[in-house]
Amino acid sequence: MNSFERAVDYAEYLVELSKQNPAALLSNPVNTSSKGKSIHQKLLELYIEETGKQSDEKKLQCNTHLLRKLVRREKLNCLILNLYPGNDGYSLMLRSKTGVETETCKLPYEVTELLDYIDDSELPPFLVDVLEKAQVNVFYNGCVIVEVRDFRRATNGTFDMQYVLLKPNTQTLLSDINNLTNDGNVWTQEDLFMLESKLLLATEEPLCLDPSPAVVLVANRQQYDRKKLNTPLLKRYVKKYNQSAANRKRKFAACSAPSELKLHDFISKKKDKKTSSKFGKSAVDYWKQSPVILSAPESVDVERFAKIMEKPEKNSVKDNTLNLVEEHVLERDGMQDKKLLAKLTIYHRPGDDAHLGELYLDHDYIEEKSKGATCRFLLGNKDSVKKYLDQFREIFTEEGRRAVKITTQRPGQAPIVTCTQTTPTTIATATVNQTATKPVSTAAQAVELSQSATMSLGSLKRSMPIQLSLSIGPTLGTAQAAQQIQQAGTSSQAANQFNLTCSLHPSTNHH
């Protein structure tokens, strides 16, 4: 444990020394000649040089943007990447020997393969062949420098510029090996291994074979400083707000809703539609042409319109007791000879002037036996209570199609009982009575009478279907028919005299 703690202290010491005096970590002195040096060695020497310019106040850090300073000092060739604003996409440009910049290709932001490689500082394998055939050599020890010009945050045609060093990866090395071996000659396996080792030694950084844990700690610290703003989690959140995500969101909003969400599509169109005013300018400005002059009253009887409200005491407690306002009991016949009962009780709470409702519902009501369920809910003011009662009666009576007995009870008053009659029974009875007052002189009128009787009988509750049979006797004269109908109003045997027989029995067919 002590050895590991010493390794941690030593790693922190190396990191601080590299920031203050990196030349002390070099075993060989820095060579001032730039011939034969790799781009990595040039960046290291520039870092040491800029660190020596660092002042003691540490207000300005000089050893930053080293790649930009190196490109400007030695005028290195670069691959140019332009990032255009909006939905214009991005493009690649190559600078020729004469200094002319040529745009090679332009891609939309939805194509993110090239941008992903640049974010990871890796050389894309699909650009290796294109860059090798270019007029200008942009390779430095297998690496390529990219000049990123960002036009998205500029308003007057200017751009922000930064440089990225793209390093080769395993795929680019394999691509280089294939290009070198496809020259028409025969390469043995040993030659291929030798070529691969030469490429790795030329492109990879020197290996550190020190077994001390301080090497791993320093490498982790460098990797953290390099990728602390380039983590996969941060990339995932940034992708939600990039240009491709905005285009995808705009396209999705313009698409119509599926067949299951036609209502959503209709409501969205209604929200986007702007309502235009139907009033003209002359109608709106009419009050300016002929303004209404109102004179202020000389005196106002304030006591007539003002109401005195008692100020509640500081330590007073709200009255949360529930006072009974009214109770409504609704009864009707349910399914399978059961009685359906609903009891709705309205309470008033004086503390906040609110009304509460309590509903008891029993689908198989038996006197003095409670089997239903009860719930309590908030209704609000008196208008809300009235609306709720009207809607509940309409639902319970099925819009007047069911016969319901309603009992209303208020404190200190006698109960009020009202009964609603079903709509089919009322219509059928009225039809029979109207038909009975008319003389029946022909067989067609007798058939109409039978249809009215059938409607009145159909409104009755039966557990099984009903078959009606009607037999009509010989046609009578008008006077005789009227005499028999008058006798039907006073005698129960008028149906036999008129030969009108109705037999009711269960059947599976309807006539």
Side-chain angles (χ1 to χ4, degrees), residues 118-121 226-235:
I118 295 177
D119 286 341
D120 296 335
S121 299
R226 185 172 60 254
K227 295 186 177 181
K228 59 184 176 181
L229 295 179
N230 199 18
T231 59
L233 183 61
L234 185 60
K235 285 183 178 180

Side-chain angles (χ1 to χ4, degrees), residues 164-181:
V164 181
L165 183 62
L166 304 183
K167 300 179 181 179
N169 52 16
T170 306
Q171 296 179 354
T172 56
L173 290 177
L174 292 176
S175 179
D176 291 338
I177 293 173
N178 292 332
N179 293 333
L180 293 174
T181 55

